Amino acid sequence: MWRGDELEFVASVVVGVASLSKTLEDGRTQMVGLLLPSDFIGRPGREEIEFDVTATTDVTLCCFRRKPFEKMVEKTPHLSQRLMELALDELDAARDWMLLLGRKTAREKIATFLEMLMIRSRTDNIEGNRPDLALPLTREQIANYLGLTLETVSRQLNALKKDGVLEFTDRRNFTVRDIAKLQEATGDDADGGMIV
Amino acid sequence: MWRGDELEFVASVVVGVASLSKTLEDGRTQMVGLLLPSDFIGRPGREEIEFDVTATTDVTLCCFRRKPFEKMVEKTPHLSQRLMELALDELDAARDWMLLLGRKTAREKIATFLEMLMIRSRTDNIEGNRPDLALPLTREQIANYLGLTLETVSRQLNALKKDGVLEFTDRRNFTVRDIAKLQEATGDDADGGMIV
DNA sequence: CGTTCAGTTGAAGGCATTCAACGTCGGTGG
DNA sequence: CCACCGACGTTGAATGCCTTCAACTGAACG
């Protein structure tokens, strides 16, 4: 686990999954971001980040020393523009997640999480649009991402299975049997402009 | 109320308070940002924003037409750097709020909200460190900001009053009688590096 | 005055949590 | 080899926090 303020690198995730999280003094934890392949870690112009970065699977990073990287950014307006875009994307994602954390039910949270996994790890269309996916997080980590307890996560996953939405090959791997039902369960607009 | 995609301006808040919010199809809404004086509205390089901007009090804005503003940004590296900082500040704020939404109790949410108001509207020290503050939001808007119902907001505010933390001069104006108790009630680290 | 909107308060109910026990799997060492 | 252990996951029962539903208050306004 990395504490941000020891960090003199910036990096990009190549393989694997990492997470950003914040913790209250009494131990309650909230994941505030999931870092999937292609995501960027670190921020230009800031020495430190004030949350924990944790690898949740084996991870391969592409690291750059901070100083030379920042010099390169200064000299390349195109790059700084790109970094701004990344920051704004993260901001949008954070705000979507605020809606989830503040207003969605447990079932909707789980469904939204699974839908996001499906969209972001485009290993789908393997056979007749039945994406075969792996959970990159333990039940507890999912709970911390969704603002739930691990027991509730377990129950809701099994409820979705019972309802024929999911099928598990083992505890960490599953297929989405019914994409339409999954999307209904997210609570979002039926086809929120999404091309799936 | 502004819909973002009709917007050909960017702006800065001068006086008053506005809010950013997202809504589910069934009407549940979550405020994802509060815009206080000095905050910036709009984003470079993006035609639209996909949430609602609503004034919650009378507001004075300082507006710029988008096109000329963007040209100015391109020519002024210092300015684009500043915008990046603003975006990263918003990102940090969003992530703090995710911790609140996902993990804090109703009482902690209210206390955190009031503490934030106190810090951001530095009208305090009016007499012996007893900030006199105005709620810029209705109970319902506070509820939408904190992921609660308006009844719960009302109850918790009155509970804080009963506990001697607050004192109301009327329904929208109050003073903090006991800052230490308020900070305890936030659930955050006792003195999380905060200089109050 | 009556109406409306914001806020308060009470009572009942529900969803998620909490507490607890059990099941499963992989690794480690006797 | 297998017994043990710890990490992860499931499931049941009870509790509780917040919500939901509903009635009421008070101030502003025409």
Side-chain angles (χ1 to χ4, degrees), chain B residues 111-141:
Chain B
T112 305
F113 171 66
L114 296 178
E115 189 195 32
M116 186 212 68
L117 274 188
M118 198 176 82
I119 291 171
R120 286 232 33 184
S121 62
R122 283 245 175 221
T123 326
D124 57 345
N125 291 335
I126 279 186
E127 54 158 312
N129 229 352
R130 289 279 189 67
D132 193 28
L133 297 168
L135 292 173
L137 275 58
T138 66
R139 303 291 188 265
E140 184 174 19
Q141 290 167 335

Coordinates of all heavy atoms in Angstrom, one line a residue, chain B residues 111-141:
Chain B
A111 N -23.3 17.7 11.1 CA -22.2 18.5 11.8 C -21.1 18.8 10.8 O -20.6 19.9 10.8 CB -21.6 17.6 12.9
T112 N -20.8 17.9 9.9 CA -19.8 18.2 8.9 C -20.2 19.3 8.0 O -19.4 20.2 7.6 CB -19.5 16.9 8.0 OG1 -19.2 15.8 8.9 CG2 -18.4 17.1 7.0
F113 N -21.5 19.3 7.6 CA -22.0 20.3 6.7 C -21.9 21.7 7.4 O -21.5 22.7 6.8 CB -23.5 20.0 6.4 CG -24.2 21.1 5.7 CD1 -23.9 21.5 4.4 CD2 -25.3 21.7 6.3 CE1 -24.6 22.5 3.8 CE2 -26.0 22.8 5.7 CZ -25.6 23.2 4.4
L114 N -22.3 21.7 8.7 CA -22.3 23.0 9.4 C -20.8 23.5 9.6 O -20.5 24.7 9.4 CB -22.9 22.9 10.8 CG -24.4 22.6 10.7 CD1 -25.0 22.4 12.1 CD2 -25.2 23.6 9.9
E115 N -19.9 22.5 9.9 CA -18.5 22.9 10.0 C -18.0 23.5 8.7 O -17.3 24.5 8.7 CB -17.7 21.7 10.4 CG -16.3 22.0 10.8 CD -15.4 20.8 10.8 OE1 -15.6 19.9 10.0 OE2 -14.4 20.8 11.6
M116 N -18.4 22.9 7.6 CA -17.9 23.4 6.3 C -18.4 24.8 6.0 O -17.7 25.6 5.6 CB -18.4 22.4 5.2 CG -17.9 22.8 3.8 SD -19.1 22.4 2.5 CE -20.4 23.6 2.8
L117 N -19.7 25.0 6.4 CA -20.3 26.3 6.2 C -19.5 27.3 7.0 O -19.2 28.4 6.6 CB -21.7 26.3 6.7 CG -22.8 26.0 5.8 CD1 -24.2 26.2 6.4 CD2 -22.7 26.7 4.5
M118 N -19.2 26.9 8.2 CA -18.4 27.8 9.1 C -17.1 28.2 8.5 O -16.7 29.3 8.6 CB -18.3 27.1 10.5 CG -17.9 27.9 11.6 SD -17.9 27.0 13.2 CE -16.2 26.3 13.1
I119 N -16.4 27.2 8.1 CA -15.0 27.4 7.5 C -15.1 28.2 6.2 O -14.3 29.1 6.0 CB -14.3 26.1 7.3 CG1 -14.0 25.4 8.6 CG2 -13.1 26.3 6.4 CD1 -13.5 24.0 8.5
R120 N -16.1 27.9 5.4 CA -16.1 28.6 4.1 C -16.6 30.0 4.1 O -16.3 30.8 3.3 CB -16.8 27.7 3.1 CG -16.1 26.5 2.6 CD -16.0 26.4 1.1 NE -15.9 27.6 0.4 CZ -15.9 27.7 -0.9 NH1 -16.0 26.5 -1.6 NH2 -15.8 28.8 -1.6
S121 N -17.5 30.3 5.1 CA -18.0 31.6 5.2 C -17.4 32.3 6.4 O -18.1 32.4 7.4 CB -19.5 31.6 5.3 OG -19.9 30.9 6.4
R122 N -16.2 32.7 6.3 CA -15.4 33.2 7.4 C -16.0 34.5 8.0 O -15.3 35.5 7.9 CB -14.0 33.4 7.0 CG -13.3 32.0 7.0 CD -12.2 32.1 8.0 NE -11.5 30.8 8.2 CZ -11.2 30.3 9.4 NH1 -11.6 31.0 10.5 NH2 -10.6 29.2 9.6
T123 N -17.2 34.5 8.4 CA -17.8 35.7 9.0 C -17.6 35.5 10.5 O -18.2 36.2 11.3 CB -19.3 35.8 8.7 OG1 -19.5 35.3 7.4 CG2 -19.7 37.2 8.8
D124 N -16.9 34.5 10.9 CA -16.8 34.2 12.3 C -16.0 35.1 13.2 O -15.7 36.2 12.7 CB -16.3 32.7 12.5 CG -14.9 32.6 11.9 OD1 -14.5 33.4 11.1 OD2 -14.3 31.6 12.2
N125 N -15.7 34.8 14.4 CA -15.0 35.6 15.3 C -15.7 37.0 15.5 O -15.1 37.9 15.9 CB -13.6 36.0 14.7 CG -12.7 34.8 14.8 OD1 -12.9 33.8 15.5 ND2 -11.7 34.7 13.9
I126 N -17.0 36.9 15.3 CA -17.8 38.1 15.5 C -17.8 38.5 17.0 O -17.7 39.7 17.3 CB -19.2 37.9 15.0 CG1 -19.3 38.1 13.5 CG2 -20.2 38.9 15.7 CD1 -20.6 38.1 12.9
E127 N -17.8 37.5 17.8 CA -17.7 37.8 19.3 C -17.2 36.5 19.9 O -17.8 35.5 19.9 CB -19.0 38.2 19.9 CG -20.1 37.2 19.7 CD -21.2 37.3 20.7 OE1 -20.9 37.4 21.9 OE2 -22.4 37.3 20.3
G128 N -15.9 36.6 20.4 CA -15.4 35.5 21.1 C -15.5 34.1 20.4 O -15.9 33.2 20.9
N129 N -15.2 34.1 19.1 CA -15.2 32.9 18.3 C -16.6 32.2 18.3 O -16.7 31.0 18.4 CB -14.2 31.9 18.9 CG -13.3 31.4 17.8 OD1 -13.6 31.6 16.6 ND2 -12.3 30.6 18.2
R130 N -17.6 33.0 18.1 CA -19.0 32.4 18.1 C -19.6 32.8 16.7 O -20.4 33.7 16.6 CB -19.8 33.0 19.2 CG -19.5 32.5 20.6 CD -20.1 31.1 20.8 NE -19.9 30.7 22.2 CZ -20.5 31.4 23.2 NH1 -21.4 32.3 23.0 NH2 -20.3 31.0 24.5
P131 N -19.2 32.0 15.7 CA -19.7 32.4 14.4 C -21.2 32.5 14.3 O -21.9 31.6 14.8 CB -19.1 31.3 13.5 CG -18.6 30.3 14.4 CD -18.4 30.8 15.7
D132 N -21.7 33.5 13.6 CA -23.1 33.7 13.4 C -23.3 33.4 11.9 O -22.8 34.1 11.0 CB -23.5 35.1 13.7 CG -25.0 35.3 13.8 OD1 -25.6 34.3 14.1 OD2 -25.4 36.4 13.5
L133 N -24.1 32.4 11.6 CA -24.2 31.9 10.3 C -25.6 31.8 9.8 O -26.6 31.7 10.5 CB -23.6 30.5 10.2 CG -22.1 30.4 10.5 CD1 -21.7 29.0 10.7 CD2 -21.3 31.1 9.4
A134 N -25.7 31.8 8.4 CA -27.0 31.6 7.8 C -27.0 30.3 7.0 O -26.0 30.1 6.3 CB -27.3 32.8 6.9
L135 N -28.0 29.6 7.0 CA -28.2 28.4 6.2 C -28.6 28.9 4.8 O -29.6 29.5 4.6 CB -29.2 27.4 6.7 CG -28.9 26.7 8.0 CD1 -30.1 26.0 8.5 CD2 -27.7 25.8 7.9
P136 N -27.7 28.6 3.8 CA -28.1 29.1 2.4 C -29.0 28.2 1.7 O -29.4 28.4 0.5 CB -26.7 29.1 1.7 CG -25.9 28.1 2.4 CD -26.5 27.9 3.8
L137 N -29.5 27.1 2.4 CA -30.3 26.1 1.8 C -31.5 25.8 2.7 O -31.5 25.9 3.9 CB -29.5 24.8 1.7 CG -28.6 24.5 0.5 CD1 -27.5 25.6 0.3 CD2 -27.9 23.2 0.6
T138 N -32.6 25.3 2.0 CA -33.8 24.8 2.8 C -33.4 23.5 3.4 O -32.5 22.8 3.0 CB -35.0 24.7 1.9 OG1 -34.7 23.6 0.9 CG2 -35.3 26.0 1.1
R139 N -34.3 23.0 4.3 CA -34.1 21.7 4.8 C -34.1 20.6 3.7 O -33.3 19.7 3.8 CB -35.2 21.3 5.8 CG -35.4 22.3 6.9 CD -34.2 22.3 7.9 NE -34.5 23.1 9.1 CZ -34.1 24.3 9.3 NH1 -33.4 24.9 8.3 NH2 -34.3 25.0 10.4
E140 N -34.9 20.8 2.8 CA -34.9 19.8 1.7 C -33.6 19.8 0.9 O -33.1 18.8 0.5 CB -36.1 20.1 0.7 CG -36.3 19.0 -0.3 CD -37.5 19.2 -1.2 OE1 -38.1 20.3 -1.1 OE2 -38.0 18.2 -1.8
Q141 N -33.1 21.0 0.6 CA -31.9 21.1 -0.1 C -30.7 20.5 0.7 O -29.8 19.8 0.1 CB -31.6 22.5 -0.5 CG -32.6 23.0 -1.6 CD -32.5 24.5 -1.8 OE1 -32.2 25.3 -0.8 NE2 -32.9 25.0 -2.9

